[in-house]
Structures are given as structure tokens and as C-alpha cells.
Amino acid sequence: MLLVLRFSHVFFGALWVGMMAFQTFFLMPALAEVGPESGKFMAALMRRRLPVILPIVALITLVSGFWLFQRVAGGAPAGLMRTPMGLAFGSGGLAALLAFLLGIVVMRPAMMQSTALQQSLASASPEERATRSAEIQRLRARGAMTGWVVMILLLYALGAMAVARYL
């Protein structure tokens, strides 16, 4: 069971961090550069269920990680947290949890709203188009900034998990 938990945690954690790194460092800047044409690409990502798949990957990572923490703690998480290894695992887990919450509460809704607005631009009047375009830019900026915060938290979690056993 421990082997399955560890595999799940590492595998899905790598997917989560990798997908977020791609989005943060490459996808979002490229979409900003493309401008209004990026709506088609975002719609294609939506059809491929990215906004559903990424949170599931993150949840599997979190659940398996918290379960592993309980198993390693042997029923005494407070005792484990008094060790350098426990502090690294605990703070990394907290950073990942915060990253997940920020992603779900702030980033995901901003990106979903911007995509919906982008798709509605074709049928909008010229006045509405300008207003919607400004809102799209505001939402994308919020999503991109939150993406950077999520990425920093995930990189901290990744680093903490990578070195925890050696502390």
C-alpha cells in the first residue's frame, strides 16, 4: 500500500508541477502575445477538459501526500512535525494545499470567465466588444499573476519534498 501511495504522490505531483510550469512559463505568456486569437486555443483546451483534469491530478497528489504523512507519522503527526524531516514534509504539504486552493478559488474561475467572454465576442456589438475585451485582459492578468503564486508555492513544495528525508 505504501508503494502505491508513494508512486501516486510522486507521479501525480510531477504531472501537477509540470502542467503548472508549462502554463505559467510558456502558455500564458504566449496567449498574451497572441491576443484575441488565443480564445480559440483556450476553447480547445476546455474541450479537452483541462480545467477538470488538472484539479483531479492535484487532488490525487494532495490526498496521497497527506495519507503518506499520516503513515510516516505512525499516528503521531505532532511528533513528526518536531523533526526537520517532518517540518519539510508539513510545510511542503501546506504550500501545495495553498497552491491548490488559490488555483481553484482564484485562478480557475478567472480563466473560465475569460474564455467564456472570449467566445462571446463574435456576437457582441462593437461597444460590448471593447468592454468585454478589457474584462478578458483583466481576468487573464489575474489568472496569470495567481499562476505565478501557485507556481512558486508548488516549487517550494517540490523542493521541500525532495530534500525532506535528508534533513
Side-chain angles (χ1 to χ4, degrees):
M1 180 64 162
L2 196 59
L3 186 61
V4 172
L5 279 175
R6 180 136 169 88
F7 175 82
S8 296
H9 185 64
V10 171
F11 179 81
F12 287 102
L15 278 177
W16 184 17
V17 172
M19 290 172 80
M20 281 304 303
F22 173 75
Q23 284 184 34
T24 302
F25 300 131
F26 300 102
L27 181 62
M28 297 310 291
L31 290 174
E33 185 178 315
V34 171
E37 293 299 313
S38 65
K40 293 176 187 175
F41 184 73
M42 289 301 291
L45 287 177
M46 297 290 185
R47 285 191 300 276
R48 284 165 182 75
R49 318 232 348 115
L50 182 68
V52 174
I53 292 169
L54 189 53
I56 290 170
V57 166
L59 274 174
I60 293 170
T61 304
L62 289 168
V63 169
S64 61
F66 290 127
W67 198 348
L68 277 170
F69 188 84
Q70 286 298 323
R71 297 279 308 248
V72 169
L80 181 59
M81 287 299 290
R82 286 194 277 278
T83 68
M85 180 179 79
L87 282 173
F89 281 142
S91 65
L94 180 61
L97 180 60
L98 287 173
F100 175 75
L101 292 173
L102 276 172
I104 290 295
V105 173
V106 180
M107 192 169 84
R108 186 175 187 270
M111 300 319 289
M112 300 288 280
Q113 289 172 355
S114 72
T115 300
L117 282 172
Q118 184 73 42
Q119 291 172 342
S120 74
L121 277 181
S123 63
S125 69
E127 309 84 47
E128 290 176 325
R129 194 170 295 149
T131 304
R132 289 181 189 178
S133 292
E135 181 66 8
I136 289 167
Q137 293 307 317
R138 188 186 68 75
L139 288 167
R140 285 193 181 158
R142 178 192 296 167
M145 178 54 73
T146 307
W148 275 97
V149 173
V150 167
M151 192 69 246
I152 289 166
L153 288 167
L154 287 178
L155 289 174
Y156 173 80
L158 177 67
M161 299 297 163
V163 302
R165 291 200 178 269
Y166 305 103
L167 298 176

